[in-house]
Amino acid sequence: MSVNPTIVVVAFDRYRSVKRLLDSLSQAIYPSDVRLVISVDFKNSEGNKKVRDFVESFDWGFGAKEVILHEKNLGLRKHVLSCGDLTQKYGSVIVLEDDLSVGPQFYNYATEAILFAENDGSIAGTSLYTHATKYYLRRLPFTPVADGYDNFYLQIASSWGQTWSSSQWSKFRDWYDQLSADELKNIPASAKLSKTVANWPSCSWLKYFNWYLTVSNRYFLFPRIAHTTNNNDGGTNMTRVSPAWQIPLGFGS
């Protein structure tokens, strides 16, 4: 079995951010032709227009490029869900929000991780980012046990660079599409989520994926050495610029 995941960039109105991400993508290493999809949500603003003009003219030298320009505002949750749905068209995807940067070997890692996880039903996706703090607990230091493996598992999903195969995504989508209108508006108190996660804003898709992981008893695979870093430029979920989530990138294979 071989895979050739499509890179999907999630963009909105941050020109500087999307330019930095695309610059880092252009410096990465690829084994063959790689498709790039850039999905831009709609906003009636100069920033959004600048992003749209830039991505349409951006020269991708490693394969086909597709630009999706949404004609109405989806919001972050629906936008990311629509990007995940591209697994049904392309088989597997690497989803990157625009405030990320990638390391040179991110694509090789993502490809190998998809192959590794495909036949393990307990894995719901793969992260390209790794946490150095307890993300949901006052940012206390976090170091996974040194058990001799180059990956570990968490029952939290990743939004800072992640891969999904079509089978992984369809299992989540089937579950998500069965949620009631009330559950889509407010996650019930019976869900096994921390108050911090449950109270994330309604635009968050990540809290629903975390809920899915708990009810389905699935996990995300995380690398010990990160292949993405979060520049945290400030946006829909992050209201202020901060270096809090930046992390060293791996440059090896």
Side-chain angles (χ1 to χ4, degrees):
M1 177 183 177
S2 63
V3 295
N4 189 31
T6 292
I7 302 169
V8 182
V9 169
V10 183
F12 188 32
D13 63 350
R14 299 184 291 190
Y15 165 77
R16 177 175 174 270
S17 299
V18 74
K19 182 179 184 302
R20 180 181 56 218
L21 172 57
L22 291 176
D23 284 346
S24 72
L25 286 171
S26 294
Q27 297 175 51
I29 299 168
Y30 303 99
S32 59
D33 286 351
V34 174
R35 180 183 293 103
L36 173 68
V37 175
I38 308 171
S39 179
V40 186
D41 200 3
F42 176 78
K43 183 179 181 180
N44 186 16
S45 70
E46 286 300 315
N48 186 257
K49 183 180 185 304
K50 188 173 183 179
V51 168
R52 288 172 175 245
D53 291 343
F54 171 69
V55 300
E56 286 197 294
S57 63
F58 175 73
D59 182 23
W60 176 245
F62 303 95
K65 185 191 82 172
E66 176 187 351
V67 176
I68 301 172
L69 301 176
H70 296 280
E71 296 304 319
K72 62 180 181 180
N73 182 257
L74 299 176
L76 182 60
R77 192 205 310 182
K78 289 183 178 179
H79 191 193
V80 174
L81 291 176
S82 73
C83 291
D85 289 342
L86 292 174
T87 56
Q88 305 312 301
K89 181 177 181 180
Y90 296 122
S92 58
V93 296
I94 302 168
V95 177
L96 303 168
E97 293 191 26
D98 58 6
D99 60 351
L100 303 175
S101 298
V102 302
Q105 293 286 353
F106 88 98
Y107 193 85
N108 178 58
Y109 166 78
T111 301
E112 293 298 323
I114 292 168
L115 288 169
F116 173 80
E118 183 59 18
N119 294 320
D120 188 337
S122 68
I123 302 176
T126 298
S127 176
L128 304 181
Y129 183 87
T130 195
H131 291 287
T133 61
K134 294 182 179 179
Y135 179 38
Y136 305 145
L137 186 61
R138 301 177 183 176
R139 301 184 185 178
L140 297 173
F142 169 72
T143 303
V145 173
D147 57 5
Y149 293 92
D150 57 6
N151 60 274
F152 59 96
Y153 300 88
L154 294 175
Q155 202 163 49
I156 60 173
S158 176
S159 63
W160 296 339
Q162 64 273 5
T163 75
W164 287 299
S165 68
S166 59
S167 61
Q168 289 169 340
W169 182 258
S170 63
K171 289 182 178 69
F172 163 71
R173 232 347 179 153
D174 289 345
W175 172 86
Y176 180 87
D177 289 341
Q178 293 175 15
L179 296 177
S180 68
D182 286 342
E183 289 171 326
L184 289 172
K185 186 176 181 180
N186 293 298
I187 292 179
S190 59
K192 295 179 180 179
L193 294 175
S194 69
K195 289 184 178 180
T196 299
V197 175
N199 290 330
W200 281 348
S202 60
C203 60
S204 172
W205 67 270
L206 182 59
K207 66 179 181 179
Y208 288 91
F209 211 105
N210 284 348
W211 184 17
Y212 162 72
L213 293 179
T214 64
V215 299
S216 65
N217 196 30
R218 290 186 168 92
Y219 296 83
F220 244 64
L221 185 152
F222 280 78
R224 289 184 181 274
I225 299 175
H227 293 279
T228 58
T229 188
N230 181 3
N231 298 292
N232 198 1
D233 294 326
T236 301
N237 277 338
M238 300 292 186
T239 57
R240 63 186 179 88
V241 177
S242 168
W245 308 118
Q246 291 181 352
I247 193 167
L249 290 172
F251 278 72
S253 59

mmCIF file of all heavy atoms in Angstrom, residues 107-138:
data_model
loop_
_atom_site.group_PDB
_atom_site.id
_atom_site.type_symbol
_atom_site.label_atom_id
_atom_site.label_comp_id
_atom_site.label_asym_id
_atom_site.label_seq_id
_atom_site.Cartn_x
_atom_site.Cartn_y
_atom_site.Cartn_z
ATOM 1 N N TYR A 107 6.385 15.949 5.555
ATOM 2 C CA TYR A 107 5.599 15.142 4.623
ATOM 3 C C TYR A 107 5.981 13.667 4.715
ATOM 4 O O TYR A 107 5.114 12.787 4.692
ATOM 5 C CB TYR A 107 5.776 15.650 3.190
ATOM 6 C CG TYR A 107 4.757 15.071 2.238
ATOM 7 C CD1 TYR A 107 3.499 15.654 2.112
ATOM 8 C CD2 TYR A 107 5.039 13.946 1.478
ATOM 9 C CE1 TYR A 107 2.541 15.122 1.261
ATOM 10 C CE2 TYR A 107 4.091 13.402 0.617
ATOM 11 C CZ TYR A 107 2.848 14.000 0.514
ATOM 12 O OH TYR A 107 1.894 13.470 -0.330
ATOM 13 N N ASN A 108 7.266 13.396 4.857
ATOM 14 C CA ASN A 108 7.712 12.018 5.004
ATOM 15 C C ASN A 108 7.147 11.406 6.279
ATOM 16 O O ASN A 108 6.655 10.263 6.276
ATOM 17 C CB ASN A 108 9.243 11.961 5.032
ATOM 18 C CG ASN A 108 9.773 10.551 5.227
ATOM 19 O OD1 ASN A 108 9.492 9.649 4.451
ATOM 20 N ND2 ASN A 108 10.543 10.364 6.296
ATOM 21 N N TYR A 109 7.179 12.168 7.372
ATOM 22 C CA TYR A 109 6.615 11.674 8.625
ATOM 23 C C TYR A 109 5.121 11.406 8.483
ATOM 24 O O TYR A 109 4.618 10.364 8.920
ATOM 25 C CB TYR A 109 6.858 12.683 9.751
ATOM 26 C CG TYR A 109 6.021 12.387 10.979
ATOM 27 C CD1 TYR A 109 6.376 11.368 11.859
ATOM 28 C CD2 TYR A 109 4.857 13.095 11.231
ATOM 29 C CE1 TYR A 109 5.591 11.069 12.969
ATOM 30 C CE2 TYR A 109 4.065 12.802 12.336
ATOM 31 C CZ TYR A 109 4.442 11.796 13.200
ATOM 32 O OH TYR A 109 3.658 11.512 14.285
ATOM 33 N N ALA A 110 4.399 12.351 7.899
ATOM 34 C CA ALA A 110 2.944 12.196 7.750
ATOM 35 C C ALA A 110 2.604 10.962 6.931
ATOM 36 O O ALA A 110 1.689 10.196 7.271
ATOM 37 C CB ALA A 110 2.350 13.444 7.107
ATOM 38 N N THR A 111 3.327 10.736 5.859
ATOM 39 C CA THR A 111 3.080 9.579 4.997
ATOM 40 C C THR A 111 3.301 8.268 5.751
ATOM 41 O O THR A 111 2.474 7.346 5.693
ATOM 42 C CB THR A 111 3.985 9.634 3.756
ATOM 43 O OG1 THR A 111 3.730 10.851 3.041
ATOM 44 C CG2 THR A 111 3.731 8.462 2.847
ATOM 45 N N GLU A 112 4.420 8.192 6.461
ATOM 46 C CA GLU A 112 4.713 6.978 7.222
ATOM 47 C C GLU A 112 3.695 6.762 8.337
ATOM 48 O O GLU A 112 3.297 5.622 8.630
ATOM 49 C CB GLU A 112 6.128 7.060 7.807
ATOM 50 C CG GLU A 112 7.239 7.037 6.765
ATOM 51 C CD GLU A 112 7.251 5.746 5.970
ATOM 52 O OE1 GLU A 112 6.989 4.668 6.546
ATOM 53 O OE2 GLU A 112 7.512 5.807 4.757
ATOM 54 N N ALA A 113 3.247 7.851 8.968
ATOM 55 C CA ALA A 113 2.276 7.734 10.052
ATOM 56 C C ALA A 113 0.929 7.238 9.540
ATOM 57 O O ALA A 113 0.259 6.432 10.198
ATOM 58 C CB ALA A 113 2.124 9.076 10.754
ATOM 59 N N ILE A 114 0.513 7.713 8.379
ATOM 60 C CA ILE A 114 -0.751 7.259 7.788
ATOM 61 C C ILE A 114 -0.688 5.764 7.499
ATOM 62 O O ILE A 114 -1.619 5.009 7.795
ATOM 63 C CB ILE A 114 -1.079 8.054 6.512
ATOM 64 C CG1 ILE A 114 -1.404 9.513 6.861
ATOM 65 C CG2 ILE A 114 -2.249 7.425 5.751
ATOM 66 C CD1 ILE A 114 -1.455 10.430 5.663
ATOM 67 N N LEU A 115 0.421 5.320 6.935
ATOM 68 C CA LEU A 115 0.587 3.896 6.652
ATOM 69 C C LEU A 115 0.588 3.073 7.935
ATOM 70 O O LEU A 115 -0.022 2.003 8.017
ATOM 71 C CB LEU A 115 1.895 3.669 5.891
ATOM 72 C CG LEU A 115 1.920 4.126 4.432
ATOM 73 C CD1 LEU A 115 3.345 4.081 3.888
ATOM 74 C CD2 LEU A 115 1.007 3.251 3.587
ATOM 75 N N PHE A 116 1.265 3.577 8.952
ATOM 76 C CA PHE A 116 1.360 2.862 10.228
ATOM 77 C C PHE A 116 -0.006 2.729 10.895
ATOM 78 O O PHE A 116 -0.334 1.681 11.466
ATOM 79 C CB PHE A 116 2.320 3.616 11.151
ATOM 80 C CG PHE A 116 2.380 3.077 12.556
ATOM 81 C CD1 PHE A 116 3.135 1.955 12.849
ATOM 82 C CD2 PHE A 116 1.677 3.693 13.580
ATOM 83 C CE1 PHE A 116 3.190 1.459 14.147
ATOM 84 C CE2 PHE A 116 1.718 3.208 14.876
ATOM 85 C CZ PHE A 116 2.479 2.085 15.159
ATOM 86 N N ALA A 117 -0.815 3.796 10.818
ATOM 87 C CA ALA A 117 -2.069 3.842 11.574
ATOM 88 C C ALA A 117 -3.251 3.244 10.834
ATOM 89 O O ALA A 117 -4.282 2.961 11.454
ATOM 90 C CB ALA A 117 -2.386 5.295 11.946
ATOM 91 N N GLU A 118 -3.137 3.051 9.546
ATOM 92 C CA GLU A 118 -4.302 2.732 8.740
ATOM 93 C C GLU A 118 -5.026 1.469 9.189
ATOM 94 O O GLU A 118 -6.258 1.394 9.130
ATOM 95 C CB GLU A 118 -3.908 2.605 7.259
ATOM 96 C CG GLU A 118 -5.074 2.335 6.332
ATOM 97 C CD GLU A 118 -6.157 3.408 6.358
ATOM 98 O OE1 GLU A 118 -5.881 4.529 6.827
ATOM 99 O OE2 GLU A 118 -7.283 3.120 5.924
ATOM 100 N N ASN A 119 -4.306 0.477 9.639
ATOM 101 C CA ASN A 119 -4.939 -0.793 10.021
ATOM 102 C C ASN A 119 -5.173 -0.915 11.522
ATOM 103 O O ASN A 119 -5.489 -2.004 12.017
ATOM 104 C CB ASN A 119 -4.092 -1.966 9.530
ATOM 105 C CG ASN A 119 -4.051 -2.048 8.012
ATOM 106 O OD1 ASN A 119 -5.058 -1.832 7.346
ATOM 107 N ND2 ASN A 119 -2.872 -2.335 7.477
ATOM 108 N N ASP A 120 -5.030 0.183 12.237
ATOM 109 C CA ASP A 120 -5.268 0.195 13.677
ATOM 110 C C ASP A 120 -6.488 1.061 13.959
ATOM 111 O O ASP A 120 -6.426 2.289 13.926
ATOM 112 C CB ASP A 120 -4.035 0.746 14.412
ATOM 113 C CG ASP A 120 -4.144 0.599 15.924
ATOM 114 O OD1 ASP A 120 -5.275 0.490 16.435
ATOM 115 O OD2 ASP A 120 -3.086 0.599 16.587
ATOM 116 N N GLY A 121 -7.601 0.431 14.230
ATOM 117 C CA GLY A 121 -8.849 1.158 14.413
ATOM 118 C C GLY A 121 -8.892 2.033 15.645
ATOM 119 O O GLY A 121 -9.802 2.860 15.785
ATOM 120 N N SER A 122 -7.916 1.878 16.542
ATOM 121 C CA SER A 122 -7.900 2.700 17.749
ATOM 122 C C SER A 122 -7.264 4.075 17.506
ATOM 123 O O SER A 122 -7.326 4.943 18.375
ATOM 124 C CB SER A 122 -7.153 1.991 18.878
ATOM 125 O OG SER A 122 -5.767 1.889 18.582
ATOM 126 N N ILE A 123 -6.647 4.258 16.338
ATOM 127 C CA ILE A 123 -5.999 5.532 16.018
ATOM 128 C C ILE A 123 -6.931 6.350 15.144
ATOM 129 O O ILE A 123 -7.310 5.929 14.052
ATOM 130 C CB ILE A 123 -4.652 5.313 15.305
ATOM 131 C CG1 ILE A 123 -3.715 4.473 16.180
ATOM 132 C CG2 ILE A 123 -4.000 6.655 14.973
ATOM 133 C CD1 ILE A 123 -2.401 4.119 15.512
ATOM 134 N N ALA A 124 -7.298 7.525 15.610
ATOM 135 C CA ALA A 124 -8.265 8.376 14.905
ATOM 136 C C ALA A 124 -7.612 9.469 14.078
ATOM 137 O O ALA A 124 -8.306 10.201 13.365
ATOM 138 C CB ALA A 124 -9.233 9.015 15.906
ATOM 139 N N GLY A 125 -6.304 9.574 14.142
ATOM 140 C CA GLY A 125 -5.585 10.593 13.389
ATOM 141 C C GLY A 125 -4.170 10.703 13.919
ATOM 142 O O GLY A 125 -3.820 10.094 14.942
ATOM 143 N N THR A 126 -3.351 11.479 13.226
ATOM 144 C CA THR A 126 -1.954 11.659 13.614
ATOM 145 C C THR A 126 -1.641 13.143 13.714
ATOM 146 O O THR A 126 -1.998 13.927 12.835
ATOM 147 C CB THR A 126 -1.005 11.013 12.595
ATOM 148 O OG1 THR A 126 -1.246 9.602 12.562
ATOM 149 C CG2 THR A 126 0.445 11.263 12.951
ATOM 150 N N SER A 127 -0.966 13.510 14.777
ATOM 151 C CA SER A 127 -0.519 14.890 14.957
ATOM 152 C C SER A 127 0.876 15.070 14.372
ATOM 153 O O SER A 127 1.720 14.171 14.461
ATOM 154 C CB SER A 127 -0.494 15.241 16.442
ATOM 155 O OG SER A 127 0.013 16.542 16.642
ATOM 156 N N LEU A 128 1.124 16.236 13.804
ATOM 157 C CA LEU A 128 2.474 16.616 13.393
ATOM 158 C C LEU A 128 3.149 17.460 14.469
ATOM 159 O O LEU A 128 4.362 17.652 14.446
ATOM 160 C CB LEU A 128 2.441 17.405 12.079
ATOM 161 C CG LEU A 128 1.760 16.738 10.894
ATOM 162 C CD1 LEU A 128 1.830 17.641 9.673
ATOM 163 C CD2 LEU A 128 2.379 15.393 10.589
ATOM 164 N N TYR A 129 2.350 17.971 15.381
ATOM 165 C CA TYR A 129 2.823 18.789 16.497
ATOM 166 C C TYR A 129 2.981 17.897 17.722
ATOM 167 O O TYR A 129 2.337 16.851 17.830
ATOM 168 C CB TYR A 129 1.784 19.878 16.779
ATOM 169 C CG TYR A 129 2.149 20.866 17.867
ATOM 170 C CD1 TYR A 129 2.888 22.007 17.573
ATOM 171 C CD2 TYR A 129 1.727 20.674 19.182
ATOM 172 C CE1 TYR A 129 3.208 22.929 18.572
ATOM 173 C CE2 TYR A 129 2.044 21.585 20.178
ATOM 174 C CZ TYR A 129 2.782 22.717 19.865
ATOM 175 O OH TYR A 129 3.092 23.625 20.857
ATOM 176 N N THR A 130 3.847 18.301 18.644
ATOM 177 C CA THR A 130 3.933 17.590 19.916
ATOM 178 C C THR A 130 3.911 18.601 21.048
ATOM 179 O O THR A 130 4.375 19.737 20.891
ATOM 180 C CB THR A 130 5.193 16.715 19.990
ATOM 181 O OG1 THR A 130 5.062 15.792 21.068
ATOM 182 C CG2 THR A 130 6.454 17.539 20.159
ATOM 183 N N HIS A 131 3.339 18.219 22.160
ATOM 184 C CA HIS A 131 3.151 19.151 23.274
ATOM 185 C C HIS A 131 4.342 19.114 24.229
ATOM 186 O O HIS A 131 4.831 18.048 24.598
ATOM 187 C CB HIS A 131 1.876 18.812 24.036
ATOM 188 C CG HIS A 131 0.633 19.081 23.258
ATOM 189 N ND1 HIS A 131 0.175 20.359 23.024
ATOM 190 C CD2 HIS A 131 -0.248 18.251 22.655
ATOM 191 C CE1 HIS A 131 -0.939 20.303 22.320
ATOM 192 N NE2 HIS A 131 -1.207 19.032 22.066
ATOM 193 N N ALA A 132 4.778 20.296 24.647
ATOM 194 C CA ALA A 132 5.812 20.420 25.670
ATOM 195 C C ALA A 132 5.206 20.831 27.010
ATOM 196 O O ALA A 132 5.915 20.906 28.015
ATOM 197 C CB ALA A 132 6.855 21.445 25.250
ATOM 198 N N THR A 133 3.902 21.107 26.994
ATOM 199 C CA THR A 133 3.199 21.458 28.229
ATOM 200 C C THR A 133 1.902 20.668 28.291
ATOM 201 O O THR A 133 1.423 20.147 27.288
ATOM 202 C CB THR A 133 2.861 22.961 28.279
ATOM 203 O OG1 THR A 133 1.994 23.287 27.184
ATOM 204 C CG2 THR A 133 4.123 23.812 28.208
ATOM 205 N N LYS A 134 1.327 20.594 29.486
ATOM 206 C CA LYS A 134 0.005 20.005 29.655
ATOM 207 C C LYS A 134 -1.005 21.025 29.156
ATOM 208 O O LYS A 134 -1.431 21.918 29.884
ATOM 209 C CB LYS A 134 -0.225 19.623 31.112
ATOM 210 C CG LYS A 134 0.699 18.515 31.579
ATOM 211 C CD LYS A 134 0.418 18.121 33.022
ATOM 212 C CE LYS A 134 1.347 16.995 33.458
ATOM 213 N NZ LYS A 134 1.105 16.600 34.866
ATOM 214 N N TYR A 135 -1.356 20.871 27.905
ATOM 215 C CA TYR A 135 -2.103 21.866 27.155
ATOM 216 C C TYR A 135 -3.379 22.307 27.875
ATOM 217 O O TYR A 135 -3.748 23.470 27.863
ATOM 218 C CB TYR A 135 -2.428 21.261 25.788
ATOM 219 C CG TYR A 135 -3.214 22.111 24.846
ATOM 220 C CD1 TYR A 135 -3.010 23.477 24.759
ATOM 221 C CD2 TYR A 135 -4.162 21.529 24.003
ATOM 222 C CE1 TYR A 135 -3.724 24.252 23.860
ATOM 223 C CE2 TYR A 135 -4.873 22.287 23.106
ATOM 224 C CZ TYR A 135 -4.653 23.645 23.042
ATOM 225 O OH TYR A 135 -5.360 24.403 22.153
ATOM 226 N N TYR A 136 -4.058 21.373 28.508
ATOM 227 C CA TYR A 136 -5.343 21.679 29.134
ATOM 228 C C TYR A 136 -5.226 21.912 30.639
ATOM 229 O O TYR A 136 -6.216 22.030 31.325
ATOM 230 C CB TYR A 136 -6.342 20.537 28.900
ATOM 231 C CG TYR A 136 -6.543 20.189 27.449
ATOM 232 C CD1 TYR A 136 -6.773 18.886 27.045
ATOM 233 C CD2 TYR A 136 -6.505 21.176 26.468
ATOM 234 C CE1 TYR A 136 -6.966 18.570 25.705
ATOM 235 C CE2 TYR A 136 -6.687 20.869 25.138
ATOM 236 C CZ TYR A 136 -6.920 19.565 24.762
ATOM 237 O OH TYR A 136 -7.109 19.252 23.446
ATOM 238 N N LEU A 137 -4.013 21.946 31.176
ATOM 239 C CA LEU A 137 -3.847 22.042 32.625
ATOM 240 C C LEU A 137 -2.767 23.071 32.965
ATOM 241 O O LEU A 137 -1.625 22.733 33.230
ATOM 242 C CB LEU A 137 -3.489 20.672 33.218
ATOM 243 C CG LEU A 137 -3.425 20.571 34.746
ATOM 244 C CD1 LEU A 137 -4.782 20.896 35.359
ATOM 245 C CD2 LEU A 137 -2.988 19.174 35.176
ATOM 246 N N ARG A 138 -3.122 24.327 32.891
ATOM 247 C CA ARG A 138 -2.277 25.427 33.368
ATOM 248 C C ARG A 138 -0.890 25.446 32.750
ATOM 249 O O ARG A 138 0.052 25.979 33.331
ATOM 250 C CB ARG A 138 -2.172 25.382 34.900
ATOM 251 C CG ARG A 138 -3.512 25.491 35.601
ATOM 252 C CD ARG A 138 -3.365 25.360 37.103
ATOM 253 N NE ARG A 138 -4.668 25.401 37.773
ATOM 254 C CZ ARG A 138 -4.840 25.224 39.071
ATOM 255 N NH1 ARG A 138 -3.786 24.985 39.862
ATOM 256 N NH2 ARG A 138 -6.052 25.276 39.594
#
